[in-house]
Amino acid sequence: GKELRYVYPYRPLWEIVAEYGCPVIYGLDAHSPEYVGRKDIFKIADEVVKDLPLNFLKEFKPMGCK
């Protein structure tokens, strides 16, 4: 059979995240170096979530780091 894949960013996921008030940080899952830092890709994500009340983190500290 055919594999079903969702297009990312997947708005229904972000609607659930907004509903629960989860802390949010998003970036780029780049499988090719030429995609790193491309602002046009972030614009697509920004469009998908633009009217959602997301709880964006202002600072990110990886676990175990001081």
Side-chain angles (χ1 to χ4, degrees):
K2 290 188 176 187
E3 182 179 341
L4 176 65
R5 292 180 156 226
Y6 292 106
V7 176
Y8 289 98
Y10 186 58
R11 181 164 174 106
L13 166 74
W14 292 108
E15 290 170 353
I16 294 168
V17 170
E19 180 180 341
Y20 284 90
C22 301
V24 171
I25 186 169
Y26 68 82
L28 184 61
D29 181 16
H31 296 276
S32 299
E34 62 267 14
Y35 289 110
V36 175
R38 283 188 45 192
K39 293 181 181 183
D40 59 318
I41 294 174
F42 283 102
K43 286 181 183 179
I44 294 168
D46 290 340
E47 268 304 302
V48 170
V49 302
K50 72 177 176 182
D51 62 340
L52 294 174
L54 293 173
N55 179 22
F56 284 103
L57 292 175
K58 296 185 180 12
E59 183 179 359
F60 175 70
K61 290 185 182 178
M63 293 176 63
C65 296
K66 295 182 180 189

